[in-house]
Structures are given as C-alpha cells and as structure tokens.
Amino acid sequence: FLVDTVRFGGTFAGIFFVLFLGINAQSFFQIAKAELALGGDFREQQGLEQIVSGTSRESQGQNVLTRSNQSDLLSLLPSVGPYENRLIIPKLAENVPIVRPSLDNLMQENWKKFEDDIQTALHDGVVHYPGSAKPGQAGNFFVTGHSSYYPWDDGKYKDVFARLKDLNPGDTYLVYYGGDKHTYRVTAKKEVKPSDVSVLDQPTTKRTATLMTCTPVGTTLRRLIVTADEIDPVTGEALNVGEKVK
C-alpha cells in the first residue's frame, strides 16, 4: 500500500509539474533568458534602445547598442510622450501601454464586474488601477500587470511583469501619461497577501507609485509590490506635491 501511495503521489506530482511548466512556459522563458543569457548592462541597453526607437512588444526585432551609446540614448529620451500612456522600464526592456478601465463598476461596488474590467484591460497592457492617483499628482499611482497567464489567451502582455522581482531600490523607470514624462525611482519591494489592500493607500503629501503582480510566477499566492517616488530626472530629488521638473 505504501509503495502504491508513493508511486501514485509521484506520478501526480510529475504530471502537475509538467502542466505547471507548460502553462507558464512563456514567463519562465523570459526569466531564464534574463538570468542565463543577458547581463544587467546589456538588458538596460536593449530597453533604452526600445525607448528611443519606439519599439515595444508590439514591434518585432531590435539591434544591439554598445555601452558607449548609453549616455547618448539617455539624452534622446523625449520630454513629450506618445499619443497613448505607456510604462517604460529600461532594466526589464519593457515598453507597454497603460490601460485605464472604467470607474462605473467600482463606483457601483459591483466587484465581480469590476474584476472582469481589470482582467479585460490586462489583455491590452498594464492597468492603472481605477481610483488611484495620476502621475504628477499627490497620491499613489498604482499599476498592476500579469506575471503569467493562460497560454491560450491571445494577449501580448501575459508575462509583462514576470521579471518585476529584478527591480531593486535605486532603479528607475519612466511613465508617459497624458503626453508628459514622469520619472520614478524604486524605494522598496515586498510581498503581501492578496487581501492586503493597504498597498492601495493614497498619501496626500507625496507623489508615489506602485507596481504590482502575482508571485511566485504562475500562482496567485501572494502579491509582489514595488514602490517608487517620482523624482526630478536631472537632480534625482523626490518631487514635492505641486513641484514641477526643473
């Protein structure tokens, strides 16, 4: 009986493992490629090139730039952004649309339809959580995205935050919102329970941002939270409420 139990358990575990890897293969491939094939400097060069050239997940192909070109690329980043809102994370080579779902179901407290709104919006990019601050405002600009999703879904952004854990305090990312460029510097990261809604808190005296995704990749057990302050891109100082970029 013990042998049969162990054999059955091992078979079941093996099937589960294979299915788990298959369902989340795209996300794990992104992580493995970054960990095994690309150094940090190289990844950042790719991300910077995407910003300057306008390429993204919607575009195919990219050239590799030498390290000596990085400072030139940084000087080319436009202060006026594209026609759509975008999140650009050079370290992760991500350049993706920011989608803002309707507030209607949130205001009506129809939580099931509100969750459906979020899932539909995640099909088209990362989501600016309804009710959270806009970039440049006092409060918490809250953005969520998939770390992994069903392989049969035809969305282009199923693994957009698969490598969000690679962001560390001091790293910077950009947001183009309403045509304006906003720069954020990561201050902290942590994992919380899915029921922890304190991550949505809106401070009245600071300009902050939060990136959130599910973790570990392929599960919904916890949420990875990456917080940041909006900064002046020249001085590197955190911007006060109402303060403009120098």
Side-chain angles (χ1 to χ4, degrees):
F1 174 77
L2 181 60
V3 173
D4 289 340
T5 300
V6 171
R7 184 180 301 162
F8 174 79
T11 302
F12 179 81
I15 293 173
F16 175 81
F17 182 72
V18 170
L19 288 175
F20 183 78
L21 286 180
I23 290 174
N24 300 288
Q26 184 172 329
S27 295
F28 289 137
F29 175 72
Q30 292 294 333
I31 295 170
K33 184 171 64 173
E35 294 295 331
L36 301 177
L38 300 176
D41 289 343
F42 185 72
R43 289 199 301 272
E44 186 159 351
Q45 288 166 223
Q46 288 184 314
L48 290 172
E49 181 182 4
Q50 288 184 341
I51 297 169
V52 175
S53 65
T55 60
S56 63
R57 285 172 173 254
E58 299 94 313
S59 304
Q60 298 294 324
Q62 59 183 13
N63 297 319
V64 177
L65 301 179
T66 62
R67 185 176 303 180
S68 61
N69 293 129
Q70 285 197 41
S71 59
D72 294 336
L73 283 172
L74 287 170
S75 67
L76 291 174
L77 299 183
S79 58
V80 178
Y83 68 93
E84 63 178 353
N85 302 327
R86 299 194 75 87
L87 169 68
I88 300 173
I89 310 177
K91 185 175 183 180
L92 306 186
E94 292 291 0
N95 177 357
V96 297
I98 299 173
V99 185
R100 198 174 185 206
S102 170
L103 283 168
D104 293 346
N105 288 315
L106 175 63
M107 299 300 293
Q108 296 171 15
E109 298 186 2
N110 189 330
W111 306 121
K112 184 179 185 306
K113 288 187 176 180
F114 175 62
E115 178 61 26
D116 290 341
D117 290 340
I118 296 293
Q119 293 301 322
T120 299
L122 285 169
H123 187 274
D124 299 317
V126 294
V127 169
H128 176 195
Y129 200 85
S132 69
K134 295 179 181 179
Q137 295 180 342
N140 178 12
F141 172 58
F142 196 95
V143 174
T144 183
H146 283 309
S147 59
S148 185
Y149 203 55
Y150 303 117
W152 51 84
D153 183 85
D154 61 355
K156 298 178 181 178
Y157 307 98
K158 298 190 292 286
D159 62 344
V160 63
F161 278 169
R163 292 176 46 229
L164 189 62
K165 65 179 180 59
D166 290 345
L167 282 185
N168 296 307
D171 291 333
T172 58
Y173 62 88
L174 305 177
V175 170
Y176 284 108
Y177 202 96
D180 296 325
K181 182 175 74 173
H182 302 268
T183 304
Y184 290 91
R185 182 172 58 218
V186 175
T187 56
K189 64 179 177 180
K190 62 181 180 180
E191 294 183 8
V192 301
K193 295 179 180 179
S195 58
D196 188 348
V197 296
S198 66
V199 295
L200 287 165
D201 287 350
Q202 298 292 310
T204 59
T205 59
K206 297 190 298 182
R207 291 156 64 168
T208 65
T210 298
L211 304 179
M212 183 183 79
T213 196
C214 295
T215 192
V217 171
T219 76
T220 59
L221 296 176
R222 296 187 299 278
R223 301 292 185 264
L224 175 62
I225 303 295
V226 177
T227 56
D229 288 335
E230 185 172 358
I231 64 171
D232 185 303
V234 177
T235 66
E237 297 177 357
L239 292 170
N240 297 317
V241 176
E243 184 179 5
K244 295 183 178 181
V245 175
K246 297 170 183 173

